[in-house]
Amino acid sequence: VFLISCAAGLQIMNRLRFALIVWVIVGATISVSGDLQFSLVGIAFQAISQLAECARIVLGEFMLSGRKLDPMTYTAFMAPTCFAVLAVANAVAWNPAVVPAFMTHWRLLAANAGVAFLLNVLVATVIKELSAVGFVLTGLTKDIFIVVLSCVIFGEQVTHAQSLAFCMTLAGVGMWS
């Protein structure tokens, strides 16, 4: 996101910012441990997905800051585009069992849609108030908080290296702020 933001003129590249981003990436990378099995197709899909998501977030920052859109207007602007993509995907993978399942679970789906709408407005608000980079760093902080919470509540184990990597990542996020 940082490099795309710099290319779009939304962030300024300097040695300190670049070093902080590398610091956070290294910390986040170290925190991922375990039995990893690589699939070239999986990596390709993940890379394309990440590039698209980074472009969407930076475009969001551009629209929210450069065009002075408010988060609600931005969400209303993005919703039809997302609907079109999802409608095509749904048409490709259509299953007739969807209609009866929808009729059975419409209350849950309506609640889910409401929460998703609020989440999209909150995402737009965070991007507008911070930046695209700030949004990603906030996401990393949230992920670390979820892992720590799962350790406290469910007794999940975190290695010493992961704990140090979490501290390293949080220190980088704090220095960015």
Side-chain angles (χ1 to χ4, degrees):
V1 169
F2 180 65
L3 294 176
I4 296 172
S5 292
C6 289
L10 298 170
Q11 293 283 337
I12 298 171
M13 171 83 75
N14 62 35
R15 281 181 279 178
L16 177 62
R17 286 183 171 203
F18 183 76
L20 284 174
I21 292 296
V22 169
W23 178 271
V24 169
I25 289 171
V26 168
T29 302
I30 292 171
S31 69
V32 178
S33 65
D35 185 27
L36 301 177
Q37 296 180 8
F38 290 99
S39 162
L40 189 55
V41 172
I43 291 172
F45 276 120
Q46 186 67 29
I48 292 167
S49 168
Q50 286 299 307
L51 281 173
E53 181 68 7
C54 291
R56 184 194 66 82
I57 293 170
V58 172
L59 176 64
E61 181 182 358
F62 179 76
M63 296 297 291
L64 288 163
S65 63
R67 302 261 191 250
K68 305 297 183 206
L69 292 179
D70 62 292
M72 243 354 197
T73 306
Y74 173 75
T75 302
F77 174 76
M78 291 299 290
T81 307
C82 292
F83 175 76
V85 171
L86 292 173
V88 169
N90 191 26
V92 169
W94 179 254
N95 182 346
V98 169
V99 175
F102 175 80
M103 299 306 280
T104 304
H105 302 290
W106 70 269
R107 288 178 186 91
L108 292 173
L109 292 170
N112 188 322
V115 170
F117 172 75
L118 291 174
L119 179 62
N120 283 324
V121 173
L122 283 172
V123 165
T125 302
V126 170
I127 291 172
K128 181 176 181 70
E129 296 299 323
L130 298 178
S131 69
V133 176
F135 171 72
V136 171
L137 294 177
T138 303
L140 282 173
T141 305
K142 172 203 58 124
D143 293 342
I144 292 170
F145 178 74
I146 289 170
V147 170
V148 170
L149 203 59
S150 72
C151 290
V152 172
I153 294 173
F154 302 114
E156 292 292 326
Q157 298 297 315
V158 174
T159 66
H160 185 65
Q162 287 174 314
S163 297
L164 290 175
F166 289 157
C167 291
M168 181 178 172
T169 302
L170 290 175
V173 169
M175 288 186 281
W176 180 271
S177 301

